[in-house]
Amino acid sequence: MDATLIDAVSKVDTAFKFIFGVSFVILFLITAVTLYFLFRYSKKRNPVPAQIEGNLVAEIIWIVVPCIIVGAMFWYGWVGYKALREAPANSYEVKCTARMWSWKFEYPNGKTSDKLYVPADTPIKVDLTSVDVIHSFYVAAFRVKMDTVPGMHTYVWFNSGEPAEYEIQCAEYCGVRHAYMLSKVVVVPKEEFDKWLNASAAAEVPDEGEELLKKHGCFDCHTTDGTDLVGPSFKGIYGRDTVVVENGKEKTVKADDMYLEKSITQPAADIVKGYEDMMPPFELTKEELGKIIGYFKGGGKPTAKLGAKGAEIAEREGCTGCHSVDGSELVGPSFKGLMDRKTAVTKDGKKMEVTANVEYIISSIKHPSEYVVEGYEPSMPEYGQLSDDDIKALIEYISTLK
């Protein structure tokens, strides 16, 4: 690996340690000399003041030595600054857009995310800008901090190092949700990064059936790759011919909806041959059972669900930083139950009540200052960069939050 890739952080740390060390030594010396003078030249020991004419050597020392110290501080600071500003030519570039109150990262293939995913052991160059006010991109672990200014483009770079996660903060006060403008740098192995980069957004949204299986600990006993654990694997389970033992007799059944539902709610009724009767019964609703069986029908792989793309856009564009999805109040009204809700607003200085239909939501996204919801501040920026398909996906997502 190029030595410059690992040198930026060390140069910043060296500058800090040198300045801190010199400051500590000066503080110690000044304190020691002050205490000595208080003792040595107290009125009790020197009742008659002495006339001091000066000392050329001392004057030269206290001029030359501070100049050398300040020069050394400048040198270390300059070397550290150069290391932070000279991004390697082979850096992997990611665009970062800051807005109240979220970060959006865009990759060379057009994919976006609200976290900065990067491959391990790679120089990363982050191009920075803002769409509303001044923010500050700050990652303490990599010693990088740079203001993002509307209409201006700048950058930071760092070497990603080993796989790990690091905090991203906004270090410039930017409004009421400033403290919540948080994200992460997620460093992953290169193969894993390439797989993530080329995966579709819909595939990243977990299936509701899969989430229920995780919630109830089903994956502790059943795999999805065909290997055996305590129970049979979920891989290819739907429609599979299965030999079971019922009342001591073997029979072959097809793993259809009825069988799977019975195996979840009454697991002791049909024990799969070769396995022990260890599974407890689960009390689930018809809807939950349907979601789990739907997951099995998909081959045990996560499938996209209604509103998945809109959920990804809402996260990516920072909408959920100001609008909750659980009914709680943040900077703006909650998305939960928003569709077709009667809403008190102010338009052109006049109070009125409107229905949050499709037309109203589109207007609120493109021109948020047109209708100001009663009880909230007009702090939302315009999202004119969203395509019609993006807005349609957002509306679809909001409609699922009943």
Side-chain angles (χ1 to χ4, degrees), residues 96-144:
C96 172
T97 302
R99 61 162 21 102
M100 297 186 290
W101 289 272
S102 65
W103 305 98
K104 183 176 79 172
F105 302 98
E106 183 177 349
Y107 299 83
N109 68 348
K111 183 165 184 172
T112 60
S113 67
D114 62 326
K115 293 180 181 178
L116 177 55
Y117 291 90
V118 296
D121 296 317
T122 305
I124 308 297
K125 183 178 179 182
V126 185
D127 296 310
L128 302 165
T129 191
S130 172
V131 298
D132 39 44
V133 299
I134 297 176
H135 303 277
S136 187
F137 182 83
Y138 175 48
V139 186
F142 297 121
R143 315 298 191 266
V144 293

Side-chain angles (χ1 to χ4, degrees), residues 13 18 46 50 55 61 82 87 114 159 182 186 195 200 214 230 237 260 282 332 349-350 385 397 401:
D13 287 350
F18 177 77
N46 298 273
N55 188 312
I61 290 173
K82 279 189 65 180
D114 62 326
N159 178 44
L182 306 171
V186 182
K195 183 178 179 182
S200 67
K214 288 180 180 178
V230 179
I237 191 172
L260 291 171
F282 290 90
K350 298 179 180 179
Q385 78 278 11
Y397 171 57
L401 301 172

